[in-house]
Amino acid sequence: MMHSSFAGAQSSLTVSEIAPGVFAFRGVPALMLAANEGKICNLGFIVGNESVAVVDSGGSTAEGRELVAAIRAVTDKPIRYLINTHMHPDHIFGNAAFAETGATIVGHHNLPRALAARGEFYLQSYRDAMGAALMADIRIMPPTQLVTDVVEIDLGGRRLTLKAWKPAHTDNDLTVFDQQTATFFTGDLCFLGHLPTMDGSLRGWMAQLDALASIKAQRAVPGHGDVPANWPQALDAERRYFDVLAADIRKAIADGVPMAKAVTTAARSERDNWHLFDDYNERNATAAFAELEWE
C-alpha cells in the first residue's frame, strides 16, 4: 500500500494503491462546503506503461490540483485522459486543474448537453456553501472525447473499458473498468453509506442493477463510500433502498396519497442506514413519485 499526502494535514489528498497501478482517494460523506473543499466523492487514477488516466477531478479546482500533485508523487508519465463519470459538481469541478496537463476529457455522449444546461446553475448555486474564494477558479469544462456505448482506451500495456449507461443516477453515467486488475470505477451508479441521489431515472437505475452486478470485477471504487468495495455486494444496500422507495411510492399512488404528503414518509424505514438521508430522501421520493405516477 502506498500513501501520499500533500498540502499539509488539513487539506491533504491521501491516495491509496488499491491494486497494482490503481490509486484511489475516498471522499467524505458530507455536503460540499468550503471547509471540505468539496472533497466528497471518490476519485482515482490508473497508471499504464505510457500514460495515466484519471477518474473524476473532485469538487473544486483546489482539490483537482491536489490530485495532480498526488499523481505526480507516483509517476511522471503524461496524464493523457481525464474521465468524468457524470455531470455532478463533486466529480467535475476540479477539471480546470488538468488544463495544463494536456489531458483529453472523456465523458458520456450526453455529458456536454447536461453541462451546457446545468453548468451555469451549478456555479451559481454552490457559491454560498463553498465560498467565493474556492469557486473563483472553477470552470465547467465539457468532454471532447465522447462515449456512446463502449470504448477502450490504452495507457500502454493497460486497457480500460469505458461504458455509457442508460439514464439511472443521471442521463450521463459512465463507468471505467481496468482490465489488468479487474478494478471497476462505478461513478455514482454505486453509493455506499451516502444515500443515493437520483437525477436520472429510478426505474432505469433499478433495471440496470443486474447488468452492473454482472461485471466481473475483483474490487470496485464506488462514487461514494468504502474504497475499495466488495463487488457486486456493494450494490446490495442501494438495491434495497430503491426497492423500499419504489414500493412505498407505488403504494401511496395506489392509495391516492398526494405527492406532498407521500414524499415525507416514503423510504422512512431506511433512514438509519444512510448518511445524508434527511438531505436527499425527499428529493429522491419526489422524483420517484413523478416517474412512477405514469407507469
Side-chain angles (χ1 to χ4, degrees):
M1 282 285 187
M2 189 165 172
H3 295 277
S4 325
S5 58
F6 295 88
Q10 221 27 57
S11 62
S12 69
L13 200 68
T14 306
V15 299
S16 305
E17 186 167 14
I18 60 168
V22 181
F23 297 82
F25 164 76
R26 180 180 178 173
V28 292
L31 300 173
M32 285 172 67
L33 301 168
N36 59 34
E37 289 187 347
K39 294 177 185 170
I40 67 166
C41 79
N42 299 335
L43 310 173
F45 60 93
I46 302 141
V47 183
N49 293 337
E50 290 158 21
S51 62
V52 180
V54 183
V55 183
D56 288 329
S57 61
S60 61
T61 307
E63 184 181 11
R65 287 194 196 106
E66 289 181 32
L67 180 56
V68 172
I71 296 164
R72 286 292 161 247
V74 170
T75 178
D76 56 5
K77 288 169 184 163
I79 300 170
R80 196 152 291 154
Y81 301 100
L82 167 58
I83 302 160
N84 284 154
T85 60
H86 64 289
M87 66 183 171
H88 287 149
D90 49 325
H91 299 259
I92 58 118
F93 266 7
N95 282 11
F98 289 83
E100 321 72 279
T101 69
T104 297
I105 303 178
V106 186
H108 190 290
H109 65 98
N110 284 338
L111 182 57
R113 189 187 65 207
L115 291 175
R118 292 266 191 101
E120 216 31 66
F121 167 72
Y122 286 154
L123 292 175
Q124 290 305 318
S125 64
Y126 280 88
R127 285 193 82 78
D128 290 345
M130 298 263 286
L134 203 55
M135 292 296 299
D137 54 1
I138 293 174
R139 303 275 175 275
I140 301 295
M141 295 175 63
T144 54
Q145 184 172 333
L146 305 183
V147 181
T148 11
D149 182 23
V150 177
V151 167
E152 274 196 0
I153 58 177
D154 191 352
L155 306 180
R158 184 167 211 150
R159 300 179 82 81
L160 307 181
T161 306
L162 277 48
K163 177 171 167 53
W165 295 79
K166 295 188 180 114
H169 170 64
T170 65
D171 76 349
N172 50 90
D173 299 311
L174 187 74
T175 57
V176 181
F177 184 83
D178 172 43
Q179 297 176 13
Q180 190 170 315
T181 62
T183 303
F184 187 37
F185 288 84
T186 69
D188 280 2
L189 288 174
C190 179
F191 278 76
L192 279 169
H194 179 312
L195 189 77
T197 59
M198 245 178 329
D199 200 2
S201 164
L202 174 60
R203 291 174 68 186
W205 201 340
M206 292 173 78
Q208 294 178 99
L209 286 173
D210 287 345
L212 275 164
S214 73
I215 287 168
K216 301 277 183 275
Q218 294 292 316
R219 67 194 66 72
V221 179
H224 299 264
D226 290 346
V227 177
N230 294 326
W231 192 258
Q233 298 88 331
L235 291 169
D236 292 350
E238 73 177 21
R239 189 191 288 265
R240 186 195 64 233
Y241 169 69
F242 294 153
D243 285 346
V244 170
L245 178 62
D248 286 358
I249 290 293
R250 284 181 174 127
K251 184 177 188 319
I253 291 167
D255 293 346
V257 178
M259 182 164 85
K261 183 159 183 252
V263 302
T264 62
T265 57
R268 260 289 180 244
S269 59
E270 281 285 311
R271 186 168 185 258
D272 294 341
N273 298 329
W274 301 97
H275 295 292
L276 305 174
F277 183 92
D278 292 342
D279 295 288
Y280 292 113
N281 183 64
E282 275 196 31
R283 215 182 298 180
N284 288 346
T286 303
F289 195 103
E291 186 178 356
L292 299 177
E293 201 174 9
W294 303 105
E295 284 187 305

